[in-house]
Every structure is written in structure tokens, then in C-alpha cells.
Amino acid sequence: MSNLSSMSDQELTSLLDQYEIKHGPVVGSTRKLYEKKLLDIMSKEEKRGNVKKPSSDKTYYREEETETFFPHPAHHTAPIHYEDFSDGDNRYSNAQTKYSSVTSTKTSPLSGSPWKREEFGDSSRQLYSTEATCRNVSQSNPSPLTSSTASASRAAPARSGQEKAPQGTRYIPLWFQFLVFLMFAGFLYYIFTSMETPPKKHFEIKN
Amino acid sequence: MSTTSQKHRNFVAEPMGDKHVTALSGIGEVLGKKLEEQGFDKAYVVLGQFLVLRKDELFIEWLKDICGANSKQASSCYMCLREWCDSFL
């Protein structure tokens, strides 16, 4: 296999068949071409063999990336939320097996809030990734995961009415997003009220 | 309107018979000479090579290799022969 030019036409033909290359007869004028093609394919296969693992990891998209990116030590304290850590771990380890069955295993640690968050955890799971992603997530990065869930949990009681709490795989902290949202809403409201004033003025003038 | 040249249209319009290799689209004087030196003096000989390669795009590579054609010329010749084959083979 190292020296294609020393092979007979028959051997080249069988090699081409092996690599499933569509080819014609290996004759004088075509031999060189097919040798070149075989060399190309063989070197490509070697490369692919080496690169395969990282490329397969790359299919995990955002979650994986944000997990590694977000080690945020600032949010890491808060012993109050100790329960949430196990909560997060449980959730992610369970997401491996089945999305729907997460609720069943949610027994001991907390009472009220976790069920809410885990539902959104489910939907976010379904939105994002496959099982493999979750598995990888839980295996590789437990600590940023817990820190992100801590930040998410802190945001959730602070804005208890808000329903948009998918799990903390975000670059921008959740409270900040809510702040921006409120500011934007306030701005729109201001515009709205400012639109109203002309009729009011009219009213006054009439009176 | 297709983007084929007049030469292309002339070639695919009729059986090639004994036409010289320079009748092929993409093959001018210089390339024609080089092909002749390699033994491909008639269009049908080049057709033979095209067919032996099973009308594959490998033909383009072969043409580039044998006479130093660039991608555009080789592709043009390939399309020309392919269309001719569709009509007459």
C-alpha cells in the first residue's frame, strides 16, 4: 500500500473498489490518475482518523461552550443554596436518561421552587441538545454548572413572578437581562404616555 | 441563455467525425499542440479518454495534467464532451 506504482493494475482496481471510488479501467493513460486519487483518499482518511474525536465533541454547541466559559467565581459562594447544587446535579444526571422522567426523581432536596425550574430545564434540554451533550456536561463540568445554577436560583427568587428561567447557561447574568427588559418596557411606556398628552391638552383647552 | 461559447455549441451540434482536437471547447492552439504531442491529435481520441474515465470529473484533472490546461478550459472541455455524449453516444 505504501508504493502504489509498484502494484499491478488489478491490485489498483481492487484498492479503488475498497475505497468505494467510482472508477474506470486502470489502463496506461488512467493509471497515474487513479494512483493520485488513491493517495489523496488515503491521506484524508489518516487525517480524519486523528481529528475525529475533537470534531465529534464539537457537535455539542452552545451548552458545552458556555459551560466551560462560565466559571464565574463571584457567584460561587452562597451556602444557602447548597441544596440547589445537588438539585442541579440531579437534574442533569437525570436528563441523561429521559427528559420526562426528571420530575419523578425530584423527591427529597427542596420543596416549592425546584419543580418550576426543572420544567424549564426540561424544555431547555429539549431545545438544545441530545443525551450525549447532557452526559458530557454533567461529567466534565460540575462546578461551573453548579455556579450557574446558583446564579439562576438567586435570580429566580429575586424575580419570583418571572417565568423565563431556563438554566444558567448564559453569558449575561439573568438579573441583568431582566433589568434591561424592565428598562425597555419603561421606555415604551414613557413613549406611550407622551403620545397621550396632546389629547389631554386638547381636553383642558376645551374646558 | 446558457453560458456556453460558440465553439461549444458548434461542437455539440453534430457528430464529431474526424475533427481536430482544437475543435473542442476550451482547447485552443497552444493546448491543441500539446495534446497532439501526447498522441491526442483528434477529438475522438480525447473522447476515448473521457469515456475510459467513465465520464467522470476526473477527466478535468487528467486534462490539466496532460496539457497544462487551467480549470476553466478543462471544465469547458468536460462540459462540451459530456453534452456531446448526451446527444450522440
Side-chain angles (χ1 to χ4, degrees):
Chain A
M1 200 156 317
S2 54
N3 199 359
L4 288 174
S5 45
S6 64
M7 287 189 174
S8 73
D9 292 342
Q10 295 261 358
E11 288 171 348
L12 275 182
T13 311
S14 58
L15 257 184
L16 285 165
D17 286 334
Q18 208 179 316
Y19 286 103
E20 294 178 357
I21 302 172
K22 189 180 145 206
H23 67 282
V26 181
V27 289
S29 53
T30 61
R31 195 190 158 99
K32 202 171 127 196
L33 272 173
Y34 289 132
E35 281 177 14
K36 218 192 277 185
K37 199 160 191 185
L38 278 171
L39 275 172
D40 268 348
I41 296 272
M42 287 189 331
S43 60
K44 260 185 204 170
E45 286 228 328
E46 274 183 31
K47 274 187 193 172
R48 221 191 304 152
N50 287 337
V51 180
K52 205 168 192 178
K53 268 185 182 175
S55 71
S56 67
D57 277 359
K58 269 186 191 168
T59 58
Y60 291 140
Y61 353 152
R62 268 182 277 169
E63 286 216 317
E64 177 72 353
E65 281 177 21
T66 56
E67 285 302 317
T68 56
F69 185 82
F70 192 79
H72 248 314
H75 295 288
H76 197 71
T77 55
I80 307 168
H81 297 287
Y82 153 76
E83 294 153 334
D84 289 337
F85 292 174
S86 62
D87 195 23
D89 279 343
N90 273 343
R91 179 179 35 249
Y92 282 108
S93 62
N94 290 327
Q96 285 178 32
T97 53
K98 228 183 178 184
Y99 300 143
S100 56
S101 69
V102 174
T103 55
S104 61
T105 57
K106 240 325 109 155
T107 54
S108 48
L110 277 183
S111 49
S113 47
W115 64 265
K116 187 168 65 166
R117 225 176 314 115
E118 111 197 80
E119 272 177 19
F120 305 124
D122 278 344
S123 61
S124 74
R125 284 282 150 274
Q126 287 164 9
L127 267 177
Y128 281 106
S129 59
T130 64
E131 281 181 18
T133 310
C134 300
R135 195 183 326 132
N136 215 8
V137 161
S138 66
Q139 276 177 8
S140 58
N141 292 314
S143 57
L145 199 84
T146 56
S147 67
S148 57
T149 56
S151 70
S153 63
R154 192 180 302 168
R159 318 263 181 215
S160 55
Q162 301 292 348
E163 296 243 317
K164 291 183 196 172
Q167 278 335 292
T169 58
R170 303 197 168 269
Y171 290 112
I172 311 170
L174 203 57
W175 60 268
F176 184 71
Q177 287 186 344
F178 287 142
L179 191 65
V180 169
F181 172 69
L182 284 175
M183 278 168 52
F184 186 62
F187 177 65
L188 285 177
Y189 181 71
Y190 172 70
I191 293 178
F192 178 66
T193 51
S194 69
M195 301 278 257
E196 274 184 19
T197 45
K200 270 187 193 169
K201 273 189 187 169
H202 220 276
F203 221 55
E204 284 172 4
I205 290 171
K206 267 196 176 172
N207 280 334
Chain B
M1 187 64 181
S2 66
T3 53
T4 53
S5 65
Q6 186 61 44
K7 214 170 166 188
H8 174 106
R9 290 194 286 276
N10 287 345
F11 191 84
V12 303
E14 55 180 2
M16 65 174 80
D18 243 359
K19 283 185 188 169
H20 196 257
V21 71
T22 47
L24 282 165
S25 166
I27 308 294
E29 289 278 343
V30 176
L31 293 178
K33 205 123 202 135
K34 290 191 184 165
L35 281 168
E36 254 188 83
E37 287 167 10
Q38 299 285 331
F40 296 86
D41 58 337
K42 297 284 184 188
Y44 62 74
V45 188
V46 179
L47 174 72
Q49 184 67 19
F50 177 71
L51 295 174
V52 156
L53 289 168
R54 295 181 71 111
K55 308 187 206 169
D56 193 44
E57 283 185 8
L58 213 50
F59 173 79
I60 298 178
E61 273 186 53
W62 172 83
L63 196 60
K64 284 180 180 177
D65 216 9
I66 196 168
C67 65
N70 63 31
S71 293
K72 186 159 172 268
Q73 291 164 326
S75 304
S76 176
C77 184
Y78 168 78
M79 296 299 297
C80 176
L81 280 172
R82 208 169 76 172
E83 214 174 302
W84 187 92
C85 286
D86 286 343
S87 305
F88 296 103
L89 200 57

